[in-house]
Amino acid sequence: MNKHDSPAENTEELLDRITSELRNQAIPPMPAHLTQRVREFHHIVRPNASMWAKHSRKFALLAVAATLVVAVTAAWSLLTRQRSAPGDRVAIESTNAPPRNDAVSAIATLDVMQVLSFTELSDELDQFDLEIQQLKREAQQLDARHEQKSILQLIAKLEDHLTLASVGN
Amino acid sequence: MKPDLESIRELHGPMIWSIAMRVTNQYTDAVDCFQDVFLEVVSDSQKGEIRDWGAYLRWLTTRRAIDTVRRRHRKHSASVLKDSHAIADPSNDLQAIEFEDLVQRVREELVHLSPAQAEAFWLVCVEQCTQSEVAESMQIERNHVGVLVYRARQHLQQQLKHLAPESFFKQAEDSQ
């Protein structure tokens, strides 16, 4: 067998014939039901896509409320610590915590303190918790994994806020 | 920008179906692959704008179809080859049946290539895309595509030495 007819050239040519056969093989027509199936994808995906839009206001309110609750309870605990243990003042100031007067004025500007007692705050926390559990259940039923993950991450953050708030309270 | 599924299906549906059928060579696998591609298009539509839907879908379908062959191979590699023998038309001459079998074996051999090699080989050698088009779809250098195709061909040629009957080489020699 000379160089021209070496096995490598033969297998190369055979591979070319095979790729040509693969390229030109008869393909059955596309099934009609696939067209309908693709149309349905819009409906499958749309409810998931609207999850953010549907609950965006709720998410925003929960985030603001949770942050507010954390801020108020943190300020309140700072005040009570300063009142009950004046000796802590040095330690508090050394950790760059706001001085007592600033904390008082911060709370004074929050109208929420005029209407919310700590009992009410606690009720609110319970209500947020219920809302979050409801959101979590809805998120777990989503088909779109990526979106589900994002929503569950956000819910986990909200839960962290609420836990902090509850501990502070 | 959200893709318009309807116009994508109208424009590229037949191409997606053809590639899915060519790679998988099985109707039900091709149907699954077709749907997987469109679901992926919908799910990933937020990722970024696609410049060339044709090239993107050709690459995505090839990738998903090879994945399908890979899964099928893991489940029942032997039965597919046995089936291809069983459904062969006995009126065909032996050479044609053997060639059909060889084509199927090469298709199944894709699972032994790396995913990148299999995709590059199929897109360049079967779908006849240019190396630049494949490089853009796979987001790699053009030279890298050349290397992937070369390695894939080397592997497949090596396998053909063992898989192909003697007569195929004689026939190749006769036709030269």
Side-chain angles (χ1 to χ4, degrees), chain A residues 31-74:
Chain A
H33 76 272
L34 280 180
T35 302
Q36 183 55 33
R37 195 65 59 81
V38 171
R39 285 190 187 124
E40 285 167 7
F41 288 164
H42 272 306
H43 303 294
I44 294 169
V45 174
R46 190 166 292 147
N48 295 348
S50 66
M51 177 80 182
W52 284 112
K54 190 178 161 191
H55 296 297
S56 59
R57 192 176 146 78
K58 202 179 280 181
F59 278 127
L61 279 173
L62 279 169
V64 169
T67 310
L68 191 62
V69 169
V70 171
V72 170
T73 49

Side-chain angles (χ1 to χ4, degrees), chain A residues 78-93 100:
Chain A
L78 180 66
L79 278 173
T80 50
R81 276 176 71 191
Q82 283 182 321
R83 277 176 189 159
S84 60
D88 291 346
R89 186 182 174 83
V90 176
I92 291 165
E93 283 176 353
R100 181 174 178 270

